[in-house]
Every structure is written in structure tokens, then in C-alpha cells.
Amino acid sequence: MRYKRVLLKLSGEFLGAEDGKVFSPEATGALAREIARAKETGVEMGIVVGAGNIWRGARQGMGMDRATADYIGMLATVMNSLALQDALESVGLETRVQTALTITEVAEPYIRRKALRHLEKGRVVIFGGGTGNPFFSTDTAAALRGLEIGADAVLMAKNKVDGVYDDDPRQNPNAHRFEELDYMEVLSRGLQVMDATAVSLCMEAGLPIVVFDIFKAGAMLDVLSGKEVGTIIHRKDRR
Ligand code: UDP
């Protein structure tokens, strides 16, 4: 296996249905099966989940104070974390949810050293509540937690897009998929992979980001075993 410990970033939308339902049992079931297959390899996994299926702070909180809208978004990620925990446990995985905003009735508070113990014991740790700060995103939370747990890579899951392209592959059949990119290329070309704060954090620490299609059966396994799938963002000059 190429990676022993990873931080998987899931968008909130992956948990919902196309008709706008907040949770789709088909979608959460499909995610859980792919995660369970990946876990069979012995990989240690932390997960950060977004909230796009429920709430998008800045855009949805029209007229609302930005920080308040963002706190609502963070709470929504806690709801998603619980839904994901339920789906993962129903396929037999051991999990813990830790939250950046404390709601100790439903989840543990985020304690880094405790998270590390859970990971060592094979539990999937779902980090809810983003970074716990407004004006940040769950992409940044993924980069931050990835660094804190000493992950070998951030796995940036996409839905039906198998990497980073130079144009929208759904619109342009000639769009080209990058096999690898440097962090600086992502930033300077403004490629829509993850937000710039998150890319910068990964860049500073040299934490690789792998972009792949999580709904393609076996794709995450291929990423973990080092097959050339998706797009890897890393330091191109220091391989
Ligand atoms: N959020 C925040 N701080 C964080 C993480 C998230 O304020 O550290 C809020 C922000 O309002 C964001 C929302 O939570 O819009 C949901 O997260 P995001 O949009 O990143 O979810 P995704 O697009 O991945 O589903």
C-alpha cells in the first residue's frame, strides 16, 4: 500500500439525493461500501465531511451575518458526520465522531491524541464541525486534520469526475486530465480542486492531495495501492 494513513474529504452533497433530499440511503450506502473496501487493506482513515446537502454558509445565509451563517454550516457538518457514522457502522466498521464544536451528548470533542489512538485501533474517525472557526471551509478542515493526524495524503473525493481536468470533462470531450500537478499550478491556474487556503496548508507541509472519483467502484483501492488513477497534487520537483 502506498498510503498507511489517509484523510478522506467528502462533500456534503455526496450524502444527499439528486431530488434534493438531504440524505439518500443509496448514496450513504455506496460511500460506506467503498470505505469498508478501503479499510480492508488495513489503511487508517480519518474523514472530514462538508455540509453542502444541508447548508452553504456564505451563499445560503443571504443577508445573514457571515459568521452566524458559517456556524450553522459547521453544525450541519456534525449532522452529516452522524449520518455517515450510522452508514459506516451498518457495514460493520468501528467509528468515532469527534467535533470541533463540543456537543458531548452526541460526539466526542476533538482531541488529537485521542483521535490518534482511535486510528491505531482501526477505527474510522469522522471529524465534524469543520475547523470550528467561521470564514474557513471543510476543505481547510481536511488539510488541517490531515496534518494533525500525520496522514500520508488527503484523498479529495469527487462525484463522477475522476481527477483534475483543464476544462469541464462533462462539457468538453477533449478536456485533458492531469496525472500530476504542483500545488503552485493549482493555485496559479485557479483550478477548482479545493480552496486556496487548504491547498496552501498542504503545500507548506508537502502533504499530497489525491483527487479521485469515490463513486467509481474500486477507485479508492486503486489510489491506496498507488495505481495511476485520478490526479496527484504534490511537489513536482522533489519526488
Ligand atoms: N464552515 C466554517 N468553518 C469550517 C468549516 C465549514 O465556517 O471550518 C461552514 C461554511 O459556512 C461552509 C459550511 O460550513 O460553507 C459547509 O462546509 P463546506 O461548504 O466546506 O461543505 P462542502 O462544500 O464540502 O459540502
Side-chain angles (χ1 to χ4, degrees):
M1 287 292 132
R2 180 162 181 183
Y3 305 113
K4 283 179 63 188
R5 179 177 289 173
V6 293
L7 190 294
L8 174 67
K9 164 71 204 313
L10 300 174
S11 282
E13 276 102 353
F14 299 174
L15 275 55
E18 278 175 16
D19 65 6
K21 279 207 189 74
V22 168
F23 295 123
S24 149
E26 289 76 29
T28 52
L31 285 171
R33 280 193 301 280
E34 287 307 309
I35 291 166
R37 283 172 79 175
K39 274 297 294 169
E40 275 171 28
T41 67
V43 72
E44 294 175 0
M45 189 183 292
I47 302 179
V48 167
V49 62
N53 55 325
I54 302 175
W55 181 261
R56 284 202 174 277
R59 258 165 287 164
Q60 198 167 0
M62 287 165 293
M64 196 186 273
D65 171 59
R66 166 78 195 262
T68 304
D70 281 347
Y71 278 111
I72 296 175
M74 286 184 262
L75 291 172
T77 72
V78 177
M79 292 198 252
N80 277 344
S81 299
L82 296 179
L84 188 64
Q85 176 174 46
D86 183 85
L88 295 183
E89 296 206 325
S90 67
V91 296
L93 292 175
E94 256 207 85
T95 67
R96 290 292 185 275
V97 174
Q98 291 200 341
T99 58
L101 302 166
T102 49
I103 316 179
T104 49
E105 285 78 5
V106 293
E108 293 176 9
Y110 173 65
I111 299 171
R112 176 174 166 267
R113 296 177 75 108
K114 219 168 162 184
L116 294 173
R117 281 296 289 150
H118 291 321
L119 292 169
E120 284 162 12
K121 288 183 179 167
R123 296 170 185 146
V124 176
V125 185
I126 305 167
F127 299 107
T131 64
N133 301 292
F135 303 100
F136 287 95
S137 67
T138 51
D139 286 353
T140 300
L144 176 65
R145 296 295 183 239
L147 290 170
E148 287 190 84
I149 65 170
D152 303 309
V154 171
L155 305 190
M156 197 64 198
K158 298 286 170 190
N159 180 9
K160 300 190 184 73
V161 190
D162 63 349
V164 185
Y165 284 77
D166 59 359
D167 197 5
D168 186 346
R170 284 168 292 201
Q171 312 270 332
N172 176 1
N174 298 319
H176 160 75
R177 176 170 62 84
F178 298 103
E179 280 175 15
E180 61 165 352
L181 283 164
D182 193 275
Y183 304 101
M184 278 316 287
E185 290 178 277
V186 176
L187 294 172
S188 62
R189 286 171 177 248
L191 297 169
Q192 303 294 311
V193 182
M194 68 200 308
D195 61 64
T197 311
V199 175
S200 306
L201 261 178
C202 293
M203 177 167 72
E204 259 175 50
L207 175 62
I209 305 161
V210 186
V211 184
F212 73 105
D213 180 0
I214 196 161
F215 288 104
K216 189 168 162 199
M220 188 156 44
L221 273 182
D222 288 343
V223 169
L224 292 172
S225 62
K227 290 207 183 107
E228 299 277 321
V229 293
T231 301
I232 183 161
I233 301 160
H234 56 174
R235 284 184 192 140
K236 266 192 187 171
D237 54 340
R238 286 197 224 161
R239 297 180 63 188

